[in-house]
Amino acid sequence: MARNSAPTLEDVARMAGVSTASISRALNDPDKVAKQTRDKIEKAIEVLGYTPNFGGRALASNRTNTVGAIIPSMANAMFASGVQAFQEVLSEAGVNLLLASTGYDPEQELRQIKALIAHGADGLLLIGDERPQATRDFLAKRRVEHVISWCFKPHSAQTYVGFDNCRAAYDATSRVLALGHRRFALISGVRDGNDRARDRHIGIETAIADFGQGAALLHVKEAKYRLEFGGEAFAWIMERPDTPTVIMCGNDVLAAGALMRARQMGIDVPDRVSLVGFDDIGLASVSNPPLATVRVPQIEMGRAAARMLLAKLSGGPVEAPAPLPTEFIHRGSLAAPPD
Amino acid sequence: MARNSAPTLEDVARMAGVSTASISRALNDPDKVAKQTRDKIEKAIEVLGYTPNFGGRALASNRTNTVGAIIPSMANAMFASGVQAFQEVLSEAGVNLLLASTGYDPEQELRQIKALIAHGADGLLLIGDERPQATRDFLAKRRVEHVISWCFKPHSAQTYVGFDNCRAAYDATSRVLALGHRRFALISGVRDGNDRARDRHIGIETAIADFGQGAALLHVKEAKYRLEFGGEAFAWIMERPDTPTVIMCGNDVLAAGALMRARQMGIDVPDRVSLVGFDDIGLASVSNPPLATVRVPQIEMGRAAARMLLAKLSGGPVEAPAPLPTEFIHRGSLAAPPD
DNA sequence: AATGTTTGTGTAAGCGCTTACATTGATTCT
DNA sequence: AGAATCAATGTAAGCGCTTACACAAACATT
C-alpha cells in the first residue's frame, strides 16, 4: 500500500525556503517559530497538501498519540456508551483509539494487549481487575501505562476508574430485602476470570447474610451474557423445588432473557417472581414489565478513564478518583413477594 | 512516554549472532530463513522480550497494519456487532482497528477520517454512501483505500459491502400492505446526510405508491435515533387527524420509543396501531409486544467488509459481492389493521 | 562599547526497521 | 570438473521525522 510519493517535510522545506527543523517546530510547537516564517510554512503545506508521515513521527518522537482499549465485547451495550465517551475525550486531545475485544477470554486479552502495544498504543484501557499472572507480568515488565475500569479497588487507586460492583449489588439486594423478599436466586455471569460478576455475586450474598431473618440465596446459576442463556437459567431455577420469590441477574441481558422465558412459561413477572437486572442498558426500560436494575455511570466512567489515561501519558499529576456512584432503579419487574 | 530502552533488532542480532536483516526476515517472511537460524533468533527474541518497534516498522515498510472504522455512533447497537465482527476478522489477519465515531455529523466524519489517516490507518471502513464533496475529494486525492458498508450501490460495487436499504424497506412495506394496511405513517431517522434513512423512506414510499388501491403515507416525522424522540414522534403522529393503522420506523430504537409512548398514552399495539422497526437489534425481541422488524446481516456485513478491505490493502483481487440479504421478521407489534 | 540574554533558525545525528543488492557456499547440470 | 543455479545470509542505504546543539542577529544590561 505504498502511499505514493506523498510530499515530505523536505519538500515543504524547499518550497518554503526554510529548514525541516523549522517546519517540525511550526507543527509541534508553533510558538517557537516567528509568525512570518509560520505563514510561509503554512502556505507551502497548504499548496503541497502535506501531512506528516505517521511512521516517521512515531519513530522519531517515540509516541503515537494512540491508545488502546480492550473490552470483553462490543456487542454488549454495557460497554458501548462508555467506550464512546472514552473515545470522544481522547479525540478532543488529538489521541486516537485502537479498539479490540476479547470475548471474555483472558488469553485473548493478553494477545490483544500485545497486539495493541505492538501497534503502537501509548497506553491502554482495560476492563476489570482480574487477569492471569502472565498478563500482569507483561504489563509490569513493559511498563504499559494503563487504566482499569468498570470496577474499583481502593488500593492503588491511581489505576482504577469505576464503581464498586460488590457494593452496588449489596445495595440493590438490600432494597429487595426491604420489599419483603427472603427467597433469592441468582443468574450470574460466568465468574471465572470475571471479577465484576464475582463481586456482584458476593455483594448479593453478603447483603442476604447480613440481613439474616431467614433470607437465603437458594440457587445460583451461571450463564454466559446472552439472552437465551438467561432464559435457560431462568427455566432451570424455576424447575427446582425451592422456588425463589426474586431472581437477581448478573446483568440486564440475562434479566431480559429470563423475562422472555417467563412469558413463554406463563410465569407472571412480578406477580409470581420478581426480576432484577444490572447495568441499566437501553433495553431495561423498554421491556415489559421494565426491568428494575442498577444504573452504572458508563459515560462518566468512560470520560474519567480517558482523562486519567491522558494524564498518565503526559506525565502530569494523576488524581485518584473516588469510586463512581451507582443507583438502584426500581421498575415494574420488581414488586413485593406474593404473600 | 519514553519506552525505556526496549531491546531493538540490533540487540537481538548481537545475541543471536546474525544480522538484523535475517531477523527482520524471520519475523516477516519466515520461509526465507533456515530453520536453524530461525530457532536461534526465536530464542534470542524470547530471552530479550523483544517486540518490534512500531514506528520503525511503519516508517520502513510504509504500512501500519492498522485500519480505521468510522461509525455514526457506538451506542447504537446497530453498529456494535458489525464492528465487532469486522474487528475479529482483522485481528485474525494481524491487523488492528482504530475506531472513531461521528455522532451522525458529516464534518465530524471528515475530521475523523483525517485523524485516522494521520494516525497511520492503511484503510478505512465507512458507513453509508452520502458525504460532502470535500470528504469525497479528500478520499480521492489521497487515494485512501476504503470500503463503504451498511448500504449498497450497484455501481462501483468493489467499494460496497452491504444491503439495499430501499429494497429492504420496500419488501417490509409490501408485507404490511399484504396484511391489509393502507394508512401509513413513518417515523424516519434524520435523512439529511444519511442515505440509509433516506433510502428506507424511499422504499416505503415506493412500495405504497406501487401498490395503489388507496394506500397512502399520511405522515412522515423525523426523529433523532433515540428512544425519547421516537416517543415524541409517535405522539405527534397520533395526534394528527389522519390516524394511520401502522407506523413504520426508521430503526428499532425509534420503534421501541414509540411503543413505550403508546403504552403511556393507552394506545394498544397492535390492536389500534401496528409498529414496524428496522435492524432487529436485541431490544426488538425483548419488548412487549416484540417488534416486527427487518433483520440486517450485521455480522456477515462486518466480516465481509473486513475481508474486502484486507483484499484491497494486499493488492489482491477484490471480488464485488452481491448485496446481502435482509429478512422481514414478523412479530407481535404488527397485526392486521383494526377492521 | 562591551557583555550577556533572548529569539529564531539551521545543521545533522539519529530513531528502529525493511529491503535491494552483494556475497557466500551448496547443489545441480552438462 | 567447471558452469550455472539456488538458498541463506550479510551489508548498508534509506524511510520521514524530531531535537540537541550550534549559530547569528536583535535586544537589554552594565
Side-chain angles (χ1 to χ4, degrees), chain B residues 17-19 21-22 25 33-34 37 59-60:
Chain B
V18 300
S19 72
S22 289
R25 281 190 283 259
V33 175
T37 317
L59 180 55

Side-chain angles (χ1 to χ4, degrees), chain A residues 18-19 21-22 25 34 37 59-60:
Chain A
V18 300
S19 74
S22 289
R25 280 190 284 258
T37 319
L59 179 55

Side-chain angles (χ1 to χ4, degrees), chain B residues 84-102:
Chain B
Q84 163 123 355
F86 183 74
Q87 186 260 123
E88 283 169 1
V89 172
L90 293 179
S91 187
E92 283 164 20
V95 170
N96 274 102
L97 174 64
L98 276 167
L99 189 62
S101 62
T102 66

Side-chain angles (χ1 to χ4, degrees), chain B residues 14 27 41 60 135 141 170 179 190-191 200 263 318:
Chain B
R14 205 172 306 124
L27 253 33
I41 292 175
T135 307
K141 198 164 115 195
Y170 187 103
L179 268 177
V190 177
R191 284 158 298 182
R200 291 176 190 184
R263 199 179 301 145
V318 177

Side-chain angles (χ1 to χ4, degrees), chain A residues 82-94:
Chain A
V83 171
Q84 163 122 357
F86 183 73
Q87 187 260 125
E88 284 168 0
V89 173
L90 293 179
S91 188
E92 282 164 20

